[in-house]
Each structure stands twice: as C-alpha cells, then as structure tokens.
C-alpha cells in the first residue's frame, strides 16, 4: 500500500498534536476524495497520512486490514465500490474480514461513503458518514461531526489557503475529456510516476508523454489521470492531436471557455488561447491532454508553454527530443490482466482469467473487448482459447507489426457475436472504416441525402432507437467510445463523434464483404460531400475543412463519379492551398489527376478544374516548370474548345502568367496579365472579385519589372475595392494590404509601410493563424519595414522568428523559406554573425540554382548578396569576380534599367574600388545615377545610395570638390526624404559606403 504523509497545515491556528492522527485509506480511483478530506482535516491541525488501498491478491484481507492498525490514531476508510473491486475479492470475503477485524475495533476504524452503489453488507460496521449528493460545506460538516472534530470557523490564514477542489465540483473549464472508464484497473505506479513528473517540473517544462504500442491503454491511462487529479486544476482540456489541422481547431475552441474576447476565426482564437495559457491568465492551473500525437514534428511547436501541465499520448518516443518526459506504457502485468478480466467478466474464475490473459498476451484493448462479450456468452474460456489458437480465417494476415498474433482471430469471433445480436452495430462499424481511424464525425452520416442511402442504412441513420442501440452495443464491448470534443459554443460542431482505434479500424475493414464495401463507401462519400461548407476562401470555415480533409483518402473519394464529391475535392484542394497545407494538397492533387483522367477522360471539364488547383499547389512550392506545362496545356485546350473570353480560359491564363513570373519571364507575364484584366473588366465589370484578382496579379507583374509606382497605384485601387466588396478581415483584403505595404517600402516610404504592415500583421495572426504562409509573409514584410526604418532590434527578432517558423511549417526548400533566409543572411552579414550569414547565403544560392536554373534573376541577385559577405571576410578577388558575374547575369535577365541591375551596379562599383579600379567604379556609379533617376526618381533610396556611392568614387579619384558637391546634395535629399535621424542619413554622413541587398519577391 502506497503511503504519503502530510504534516500539519501552516497557519491552521492549532498546535501540532492537539488533534488525533488519521490515516486515510482509499482506492486509487477515489484519490480526489482522499486529497480533499486530508486538506479539510489538516486545516484543523490533524496530522494526516494517506494510504492507497491495493493489497496483493495473495495476502488475506484480514491481514491487510490489521496492517492498517499499525498506524497511530484512527483509520478513515473512503468507501466506494472501487474499494471492494480491487483484487477482485467476493463480497463474502469482505464480509468475513470486516466482521473479524473492523467490528472489534470501533474506536480505530471510521468511514465516509462516496458512492450510492451496493456495498458488502458488513460495511455497516463502519457506520459511515454519507458524503454523496451534498455540497462541499455540508460534506465538510458531516465529516467533522463524524470524527468528533469542532466545526468552528477557521482562522483567516487557514481558510484562505488554496486547497484541492471538492471532488463533486468539476474544474471551471472542462472539455473534450472521455467518459471515465469505471472498469479501469491497475496502473497505479504509472499514475504516480506521471503525477510526480508533472509536479516536479518547472514552469514551461511540465510535459509528459505516455508512449507505447497500439492498444496498450495510453488514452485510458491519460483519462484516468484527468479524473484522479483533475481537482487540482482550474482548466482541463482534451484535444485530439493525430492531425495538425484538427489539433489547431480543437485547441482554438478553448478560447470562449477561457472567456477570451476574439472573433470567429479560429486562427485568432488559437493565438489567444496559447497566449492565455503561456501567461497563466485567467488560469494558471491548467492541464492540456494531447491524445494520439504520433507525429511530434507536426505539432510540437504548438504545444503550449506556461505554468500548467501537458500530458501527451503517442506511439512515438521521439517526443523525448522535444522537452517531454517519457513514460512508457507496457501491457498489463498478469495480476492487472486477471483483475481486469474478473471485473469485466465476473463469471470467470481466477484460473480462467489467467488462461485468457495469457492467450491475449495481456493487451488491455483486446482484454476489454474479448472479456466483455465472453461474459455474455455460453462459450467457455477453454473453448475460446482453442478457437483462438485454431483460427477462424487462415487468410487473415497480420496488418501491423505491433498487433498481437491473436488479434485478428479474436476480432473475427467478436464480429460474429455482434452480427448475431445487433447487426446494425456492424453496419455502423463498417461505415466508420471509410473515415480515418481515430476521431470519426459520425454525425456527417446523418447529412447524407436520404434518397441516396440504401434502405437498411437509412433505417439506421434515421431511426434514433436503432442508431443509439448500435452505438450502445459497440460501446458495451469497448469497440468505440463516445467523444465530446465539440465545444458547446460552436454551433457547427453539434452531434456525435466516435473514437475508433486504428487496430480495430484495419481489422473491420479487412473483414468486410465486397458488396457492403461499395454500398457503404458511397454513403460516406455523399455524407462528406454534404458536410462541405462550400466556401474554402472563408477563413471562418477552415475548421470545418480541417475536419473533413483527413477522411478523403479513406472514403476513396477520387473514384467517385458524383459531381458533389468532385466539388468537395476541389474545395478541399483550395482550402489546402490557402491554409498552407501544400504538401498534403499536392499529394491529393497528384492522385486526383491520375484518377480523374482515367475515370472521366483527359479533357473532361472537371480535369481542367482540377489542374488549376493542382498547379496552384505546385507553384506554391516553386515547381514552376511543371506548373507552366500544366497551365499551358489547359490554356491551349480551353482556348480552342471555348474561345479566348471563356472564364475558365481566363483563369487558366492567369495561372500561366504566375508560372512565367516564377520562371523570371516577367515581360511575357505582364503582357498576359494586362490582357486578362482587360477581358475581365469587359466581361464582369470593375468590381467583380475575379477582376480584382486579375488587377492584383497585374500589379505583381509590374513590381517584378521594377515599376513600383504603377504597382502601388493598382494595389491601392484593389485594396480599396476589396475593403468595400469583401470584409476588412477577408484573406484577399489582407493580401492586398501586404502588397500595398510592400510597394510603399520599395518606394522608400518606410514609415507609411511600417504603420500599415504592423496593423495588418496583427490581423493576419488573428484571422489566418500564426503559421499560415500569408501570415509569415506579412510578418516578414514587417521585419523588412523595421529594418529599413532603422529598428534593428525588432527586425532581428522578427527575421529570426519568421524564418524558424517557415522552415518548420514549409521546409527549408520552400520558396517562401528561401526568401526569408535571404533577408536573414543580409541582416546577419551587417549586424549579427558573418559565419551564419555565409552559411545561410550559400544554401540560398544553391537552392535557387536547383529550383530555377542558372539564368534566373534570383540566382544573380542572391549571388550579388553573397559577394558582399565574401567582401566582408576579406575574400576581395573572389567577391569581385562573383559580383561582376552577377551584374552581367542580372542585366541579361531583366535589363540594365531594372532596379535589381542598378542595385547590383552599386555593389560592383564598391568591389572595383577595393581591387584598385576606381575609374571604372566612378563611371559605373555615374551611369547608375542617370538610370536610377530616370526609372525611380532623384530621391528614391536606391538613387540616393548611387549618389552617395558616386561621391565616394570621386573621392577615390581625388576629385574632392566635385565629390563634396555630390555628397552635399545627396545628404540634403536624404534628410528631406528619410529624415535627419534616419540610419541611412547617419551612415551617409559618416561616409560609410552604401550597399544594396537583393530581395526576392513573391510571384
């Protein structure tokens, strides 16, 4: 028996020893009661020792009870049916022991009852005080009266002390926790280990992972921990964590429960929840359970930190690499197996239970399912074990390396039992196998069109009695469990969800007749299609798509000919693109292209719709050559089939223009973009959302050609129209804000850009979520605004944070990651770590070469950046060769008057000076000033940099008077344009030679 001594309560006002000692004996299931009772007594000066009651089976009950008398003072039993199930022992055994040991010692044994269940008759010797169905104050009064202790008001210090919550009161916030398993058995050492690990952890480090094989009971153990220790928390929130999108959605649903004021977008709610938990405001005692987190790399960054605790269940021990304490959950010990079986199947004897446990290899899930129906069966354990060893279906193969050998056969037996008793339960179970294993939104099934559901399934889904009977039977045999993850504040999340273990999922799927398979899968497909919200562009509906998308694969939706299912697939691809789930979207798009071409034909309209969404996803990861081939084929076909002004042709042409931008073919992209905008204006008018999208894309083409003023004007008009036509927080409106702020910054209007972008970044985090690619881009632009405005501290922190998040979310080779890395390298070169700058820069250049090829302007630009690093580390000759080559390549790619070529020229002139060629350096800066003035204006920051550089070149040629004139004019324009106190103005006054950083742009 575990013993935990607790001393006299500080500030209780009673002298230690002035009240009797009490030993509290409790079943582990009732720990919360023992903790509350102990706290109430300690406040009144009682010395309390808590002993968990769990004697070994081979120790007679009489001896175990007599051992309690070795403790000083009285023994207080917390009576519940759990006390008498441990072992388990019969009521007759208990009655004999209570009469023999407890009855003769009425002054030593006392009890309180916390159950309304029937107990052994001899428990009457305790004369227990009943604490059920009363509030905390009345329960305390009854407890004190029963023990003969005064119930006088406590001193203020003792009364104010925070203690355990009254067990009948749930935490202030409670959500998603599975129902308590009243048959939970054993695991006492594991529960104690987890509790100790969490209590010893410092703030922000309270993370424990329960890991082990499938079916070993990790989720049940976590649930028991919640019920046993939940009274110590103000917030208990259970979150399914097998998929990142669903985890984000369910964690965000905690926001209204915490009383956080947020909008409807779950990205905003998620940010607010994580911030609240981190600060411990309004609750510092919180417990978050992440169930089924088998892929740590998918969600580790979203695990909250703060003063609370996190409990994770996972098959993956790699959580140990993410600051989590690992607790391995093994199969049951044989004693635990036998105790569990006897509780689950009371008709079985000790020896029969041992035989069954051995046959089922002590695996908790299998013991639960098998013992449950075996108790209702006439079959003997010997017959069952013989059947198990002989096998029912010799063709069944082992479906997973961690499944016990007996599992498939045991399941065949159970399914036969279900078919004979409640065949509707088997139908429901088979329907569940066309959803992803784990959390299954079976409420979707009720949304399937009634006229398209087979009669037998229609009765199941439309008759509440049949539905509840089927679920009840599956729950009775522990095949599924009900989930309550839906927040009561979310109107879109009403109805049932079931949890189906992946082992069960696979076995049931393999056992299904082919006729049922086709019939059932069609029902699930239609149910998923009916659950489609229909608006993937609306961020407020992303949580619904996050719930739907994991099930597409399992329902094999790509083989459906139903137009509604096709629309669902296209909408899910759009959602994946907008939410940044690129890799998953590409996999789905690739499979869909193959399937639909074979199913529908190469030139079916749906195939061309699909190619548009698939190309968007490929383009997002930088595969521009592939997308150009896809979009060009679509453009050619649609133009020939439907004509130039067909809307689908215009949409495909817009995709082709984006591909050309990605490939660096900016003039071609501009021509197509301009033509598309004119066509949309003629067909749909100025205010149609498709016209505004085309206007946005034309602005991007102009920006990539260095025509910043024209881009700014188009983006201004687009932003104003979207604010009026859409809502201010719509994703496209926010996208226009980033574009407009980018143009302001590129034109040197840093303060305006920073002000707009700071506000927009805040809204992006709220609406889109912190890890959405568009949010990351907004924050990256804000970092550049900070940097150009001279706020290096904030810029450095934001550059680093954005790059780290992008690498984790999208990967190191993503175009957005490389864009951010280029900025980080430039910043590190000047203000941080030159070695880090070089390492990052080399990866960026290599990445762009692999992605885009040697002739692309991004390769030339990032090589120009790298040359500056080589200059700073003293490799002047290498730097000079590299920068001259970069200027030549950039000029070939975009022309000599492009701002990128002009920026390269400024850097080239600096290197020419360093290698002893001041004449050509001065000639180059002079030419650059002329071109920059013509393209960008006399006071644009790039032109001003060229003028300051030219003054330095003239000084190198000893033309000091002319150099001073050029410098004086440039300093005056710098002060007038950027301000006297701007960092660039200071730098120019100090005669620090200016440089130019190439900045990759979005396409």
């Amino acid at each position: 028996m575990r013993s935990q001594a607790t001393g006299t309560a500080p500030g209780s006002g009673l002298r230690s020893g002035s009240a009797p000692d009490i030993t509290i004996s409790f079943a582990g299931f009732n720990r919360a009661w023992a903790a509350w009772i102990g706290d109430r007594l300690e406040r009144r000066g009682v010395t309390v020792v808590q002993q968990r009651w769990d004697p070994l089976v081979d120790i007679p009950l009489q001896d175990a009870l007599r051992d309690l008398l070795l403790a000083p003072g009285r023994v207080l039993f917390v009576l519940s049916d759990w006390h008498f199930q441990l072992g388990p022992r019969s009521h007759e055994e208990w009655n004999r022991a209570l009469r023999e040991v407890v009855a003769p010692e009425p002054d030593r044994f006392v009890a309180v009852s916390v159950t309304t269940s029937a107990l052994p008759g001899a428990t009457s010797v305790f004369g227990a005080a009943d604490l059920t169905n009363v509030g905390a104050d009345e329960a305390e009064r009854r407890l004190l009266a029963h023990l003969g202790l005064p119930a006088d008001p406590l001193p203020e210090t003792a009364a104010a002390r925070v203690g355990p919550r009254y067990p009948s009161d749930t935490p202030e916030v409670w959500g998603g926790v599975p129902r308590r398993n009243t048959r939970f058995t054993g695991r006492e050492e594991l529960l104690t280990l987890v509790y100790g690990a969490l209590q010893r952890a410092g703030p922000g480090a309270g993370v424990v992972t329960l890991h082990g094989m499938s079916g070993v009971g990790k989720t049940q153990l976590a649930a028991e921990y919640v019920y046993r220790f939940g009274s110590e928390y103000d917030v208990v929130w259970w979150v399914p964590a097998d998929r990142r999108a669903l985890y984000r959605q369910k964690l965000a649903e905690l926001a209204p429960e915490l009383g956080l004021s947020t909008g409807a977008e779950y990205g905003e709610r998620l940010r607010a929840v994580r911030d609240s938990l981190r600060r411990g405001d309004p609750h510092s005692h919180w417990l978050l359970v992440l169930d089924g987190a088998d892929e740590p790399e998918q969600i580790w960054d979203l695990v909250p930190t703060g003063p609370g605790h996190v409990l994770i269940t996972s098959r993956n021990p790699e959580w140990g690499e993410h600051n989590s304490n690992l607790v391995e959950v093994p199969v049951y010990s044989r004693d635990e197996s036998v105790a569990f079986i006897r509780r689950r199947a009371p008709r079985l004897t000790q020896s029969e239970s041992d035989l069954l446990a051995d046959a089922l290899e002590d695996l908790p899930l299998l013991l639960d399912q098998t013992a449950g129906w075996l108790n209702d069966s006439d079959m003997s354990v010997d017959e069952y074990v013989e059947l198990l060893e002989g096998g029912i279906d010799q063709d069944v193969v082992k479906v997973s390396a961690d499944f016990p050998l007996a599992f498939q056969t045991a399941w065949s037996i159970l399914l036969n039992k279900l078919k004979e008793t409640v065949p509707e339960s088997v139908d429901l179970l088979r329907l569940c196998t066309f959803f992803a294993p784990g959390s299954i939104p079976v409420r979707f099934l009720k949304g399937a069109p009634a006229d398209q559901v087979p009669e037998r399934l229609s009765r199941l889904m439309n008759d509440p009695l049949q539905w509840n009977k089927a679920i009840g039977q599956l729950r009775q045999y522990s095949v599924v469990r009900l989930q309550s993850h839906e927040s009561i504040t979310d109107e879109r999340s009403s109805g049932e969800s079931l949890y189906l273990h992946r082992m069960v999922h696979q076995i049931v799927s393999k056992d299904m007749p082919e006729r049922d398979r086709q019939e059932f899968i069609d029902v699930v497909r239609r149910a998923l299609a009916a659950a489609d919200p229909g608006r993937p562009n609306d961020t407020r509906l992303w949580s619904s798509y996050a719930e739907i998308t994991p099930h597409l694969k399992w329902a094999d939706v790509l083989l459906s000919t139903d137009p509604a299912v096709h629309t669902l697939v296209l909408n899910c691809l759009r959602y994946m693109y907008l939410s940044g789930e690129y890799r998953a979207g590409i996999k789905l798009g690739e499979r869909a292209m193959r399937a639909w071409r074979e199913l529908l034909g190469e030139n079916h309209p749906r195939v061309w719709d699909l190619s548009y969404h698939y190309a968007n996803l490929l383009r997002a990861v930088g595969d521009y050559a592939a997308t150009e081939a896809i979009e060009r084929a679509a453009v050619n076909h649609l133009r020939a089939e439907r004509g130039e002004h067909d809307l689908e042709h215009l949409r495909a042409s817009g995709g082709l223009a984006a591909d050309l931008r990605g490939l660096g073919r900016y003039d071609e992209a501009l021509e197509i973009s301009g033509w598309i905008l004119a066509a949309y204006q003629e067909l749909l008018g100025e205010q149609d959302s498709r016209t505004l999208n085309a206007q946005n894309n034309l602005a991007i083409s102009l920006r990539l050609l260095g025509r910043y003023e024209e881009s700014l004007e188009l983006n201004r008009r687009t932003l104003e129209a979207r604010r009026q036509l859409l809502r201010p927080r719509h994703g496209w409106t926010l996208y226009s804000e980033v574009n407009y702020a980018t143009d302001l910054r590129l034109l040197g209007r840093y303060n305006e850009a920073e002000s707009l972008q700071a506000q927009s970044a805040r809204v992006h985090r709220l609406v889109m979520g912190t890890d959405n690619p568009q949010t990351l881009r907004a924050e990256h632009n804000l970092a550049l605004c900070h940097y150009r405005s001279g706020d290096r501290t904030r810029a450095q922190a934001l550059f680093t944070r954005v790059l780290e998040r992008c690498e984790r979310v999208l990967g190191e080779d993503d175009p957005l990651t490389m864009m951010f890395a280029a900025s980080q390298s430039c910043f590190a070169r000047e203000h941080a770590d030159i070695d880090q700058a070089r390492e990052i820069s080399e990866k960026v250049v290599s990445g762009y070469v692999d992605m885009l090829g040697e002739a692309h302007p991004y390769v030339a630009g990032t090589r120009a950046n790298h040359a500056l690093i080589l200059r700073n580390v003293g490799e002047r000759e290498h730097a000079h060769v590299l920068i001259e080559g970069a200027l030549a390549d950039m000029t070939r790619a975009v022309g000599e008057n492009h701002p990128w070529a002009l920026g390269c020229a400024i850097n080239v002139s600096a290197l020419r000076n360093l290698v002893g060629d001041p004449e050509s350096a001065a000639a180059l800066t002079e030419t650059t000033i002329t071109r920059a003035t013509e393209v960008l204006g006399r006071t644009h920051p790039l032109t001003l940099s060229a003028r300051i550089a030219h003054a330095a070149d003239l000084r190198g040629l000893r033309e000091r008077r002319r150099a001073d004139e050029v410098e004086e004019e440039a300093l005056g324009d710098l002060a007038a344009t950027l301000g006297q106190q701007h960092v660039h103005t200071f730098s120019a006054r100090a005669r620090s030679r200016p440089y130019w950083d190439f900045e990759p742009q979005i396409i």
Side-chain angles (χ1 to χ4, degrees), residues 7-12 38-40 42-43 155-164:
T8 302
S12 67
D39 176 71
R40 296 295 103 182
E42 285 181 328
R43 290 171 188 256
E156 187 175 334
T157 53
R161 198 181 84 201
V162 177

Side-chain angles (χ1 to χ4, degrees), residues 221-293:
L221 181 60
E224 180 60 22
Y225 179 89
V226 166
Y227 284 101
R228 197 168 291 194
F229 300 100
S231 62
E232 299 188 12
Y233 299 96
D234 298 319
V235 177
V236 176
W237 199 253
W238 186 287
V239 185
D242 51 333
R243 297 181 290 274
R244 181 181 177 88
L246 183 60
Y247 169 77
R248 285 163 52 86
Q249 172 201 345
K250 296 302 182 183
L251 184 58
E253 289 177 1
L254 179 54
E257 304 297 328
L258 294 176
L260 305 179
S261 299
T262 66
E265 294 87 358
Y266 86 94
E268 179 179 352
R269 290 183 176 188
L270 180 65
R271 182 204 60 78
V273 166
R274 294 180 64 195
D275 184 59
S276 172
L277 297 179
R278 178 183 58 78
R279 292 183 290 106
D281 180 20
H283 301 291
S284 59
H285 295 91
W286 51 262
L287 173 65
L288 186 69
V289 182
L290 279 53
D291 187 32

Side-chain angles (χ1 to χ4, degrees), residues 424-436 440 442 445 453-454 457-458 460-461 467 500 505 508 512 516-517 519-525 554-555:
E424 298 89 354
S425 65
V426 179
D427 287 342
L428 179 57
L429 189 58
R430 286 173 171 167
L431 284 169
C432 287
T433 65
F434 297 108
F435 293 89
I440 297 176
V442 289
L445 293 171
V453 176
L457 296 178
S458 180
L460 169 65
M461 291 185 280
W467 180 265
L500 184 66
H505 187 283
V508 174
M512 196 180 314
D516 284 353
R517 183 179 301 278
E519 196 171 58
F520 287 16
I521 199 171
D522 284 340
V523 171
V524 174
R525 289 169 180 170
W554 298 91

Side-chain angles (χ1 to χ4, degrees), residues 859-869 882-883 886 904 907 996 998:
V859 173
T862 51
R863 279 179 173 158
N865 291 345
H866 193 66
L868 296 180
I869 296 173
L882 187 62
I883 193 68
C904 279
N907 295 347
W996 169 80
F998 171 71

